[in-house]
DNA sequence: TACAATGATTAGACTAATCTAATTATATTT
DNA sequence: AAATATAATTAGATTAGTCTAATCATTGTA
């Protein structure tokens, strides 16, 4: 099997490839992994030897098919355990990340699948992030940022791009939850503050930063 | 926190102290840990530095109060996760040990306690082993080996001393389950084969080895 | 009580994952 | 295109946990 460290590198590379494009830079990975650049170079060389990444000196690197499979498997574990913690143990959505970071490294495909069944084959984790199925297939979401909507448009709130407890807590306090309908009533020209309507009922004023962290399905 | 390796040493020492008396030998620990003796000496020196064990050169070693607390905490985790795997995910009692060996190292007292509550504060794991409470208190059991009973005596089957899948499977096939009443009908003098009666109904013939691996409450 | 057998420790080496300091490649700017 | 700034790699060291081979300590027995 792979070490926890390797698995964490794979996950981090996967996420960087998703957002920043195919090829990942040493420094970017060092930053998200919280290590210094030479550690990344060393690790990447070892992982290239195991055919988990392709690596060309000073040219960056990307996951192989094998590396991608491992990464998606870990993401599947992570998100299923998050559902377990929230749905079954009563944790709040802003409390589960660190625990899931530990649980995701439990090595047993069978356990993952039994957990999936126990939870009723959920499609998304408590933050709306999609859960890959047993074959590693991750449904492509059509969600867009609330900040991309024009005045008058609306969508269903299905996910966040900021997973920090601080932001999640803010949403709780503001009464904004997954599944709510968000309608853009006005956008302030000066600073792009959004005035929105929740579930066709009460209104709310949110900053551009917040609108830029909310995913909606039109 | 402590590393997984340290935690596994602590657990192993705890179990050896329980069965073989207070002071543990290097070679005994090496055997159960599956490492060679010098590794144990090295590790024990490090752990003595952390006040987890007391250690005197060539005299053996034992857990400190602190070491004992950590060990009991891990055993609590292990047994609660076993209950989860059997009761909630549908695993058989002979399949859960290796998974629980991984899950026991998840570091979160809060998670352990929430899991405990979710499971309904179970008193014992699927093999009948008692689960320490949140304060680390492990109820002293009054169970005795079936092999210590005389003809005519009976007891309730509450645990096993052999946790191997092979033995657990044998019990399944023989129809012997936790909670059954076992009454000793006869003991063959020649080889101490036991003839027993299950739940005051059907009889069964079991070897001395089996009778020596079953715990009962008289 | 001395000697052999067993058990424990030291010495020296290895791997994975990290670090700092120094060097080399790549990219940017004039 | 040369000079500079930034990013990546190499070199050499460190720690945890392990190993083998060699040595030292303990115990039981003749």
């Amino acid at each position: 099997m792979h070490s926890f460290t390797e698995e964490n590198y794979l996950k981090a590379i996967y996420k960087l490839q998703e957002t920043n494009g195919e090829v990942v830079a040493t420094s970017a990975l060092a930053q998200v992994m919280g290590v210094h650049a030479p550690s990344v170079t060393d690790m990447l060389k070892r992982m290239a030897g195991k055919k988990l990444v392709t690596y060309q000196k000073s040219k960056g690197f990307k996951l192989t098919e094998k590396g991608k499979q491992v990464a998606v498997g870990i993401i599947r574990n992570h998100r299923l355990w998050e559902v377990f913690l929230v749905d079954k143990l009563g944790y709040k959505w802003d409390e589960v990340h660190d625990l899931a970071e530990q649980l995701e490294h439990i090595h047993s495909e069978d356990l993952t699948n039994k957990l999936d069944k126990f939870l009723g084959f959920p499609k998304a984790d408590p933050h709306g992030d999609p859960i890959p199925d047993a074959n590693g297939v991750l449904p492509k979401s059509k969600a867009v940022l609330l900040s991309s909507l024009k005045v008058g448009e609306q969508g269903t709130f299905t996910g966040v791009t900021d997973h920090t407890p601080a932001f999640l807590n803010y949403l709780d306090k503001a009464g904004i939850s997954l599944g709510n309908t968000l309608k853009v009533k006005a956008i302030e020209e000066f600073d792009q503050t959004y005035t929105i309507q929740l579930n066709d009922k009460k209104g709310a004023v949110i900053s551009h930063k917040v609108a830029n962290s909310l995913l909606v399905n039109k």
Side-chain angles (χ1 to χ4, degrees), chain A residues 32 48 77 98 120 145 154 217:
Chain A
V32 304
N77 275 344
D98 292 351
L145 292 175
Q154 65 171 43
N217 275 337

Side-chain angles (χ1 to χ4, degrees), chain A residues 127-144:
Chain A
H127 316 104
D129 295 310
I131 298 176
D133 68 19
N135 300 312
V137 177
L138 223 160
K140 265 280 176 263
S141 140
K142 279 164 222 146
V144 297

Side-chain angles (χ1 to χ4, degrees), chain A residues 63-95:
Chain A
L63 294 178
T64 61
E65 206 39 58
K66 186 178 163 196
K68 208 171 288 182
Q69 269 173 35
V70 176
V72 171
I74 296 160
I75 288 168
R76 173 166 156 81
N77 275 344
H78 183 103
R79 293 181 182 169
L80 284 172
W81 281 114
E82 283 198 345
V83 174
F84 170 72
L85 293 170
V86 169
D87 285 9
K88 302 296 181 179
L89 298 195
Y91 276 96
K92 307 283 175 50
W93 70 341
D94 60 309
E95 300 172 327

Side-chain angles (χ1 to χ4, degrees), chain A residues 136-208:
Chain A
V137 177
L138 223 160
K140 265 280 176 263
S141 140
K142 279 164 222 146
V144 297
L145 292 175
L146 180 63
S147 57
S148 72
L149 298 195
K150 297 190 176 55
V151 173
E153 291 189 306
Q154 65 171 43
T156 309
F157 171 36
T158 57
V160 294
T161 58
D162 179 347
H163 293 75
T164 59
F167 179 62
L168 298 173
N169 261 315
Y170 162 80
L171 293 179
D172 284 341
K173 266 193 300 187
I176 302 173
S177 324
L178 286 180
N180 287 176
T181 300
L182 308 183
K183 182 167 189 176
V184 179
K185 303 295 282 183
I187 304 174
E188 174 59 45
E189 271 201 38
F190 171 62
D191 61 358
Q192 265 115 312
T193 293
Y194 281 63
T195 306
I196 60 174
Q197 196 174 24
L198 282 170
N199 285 334
D200 293 322
K201 286 186 287 200
K202 67 173 176 179
V205 176
I206 60 176
S207 72
H208 181 259

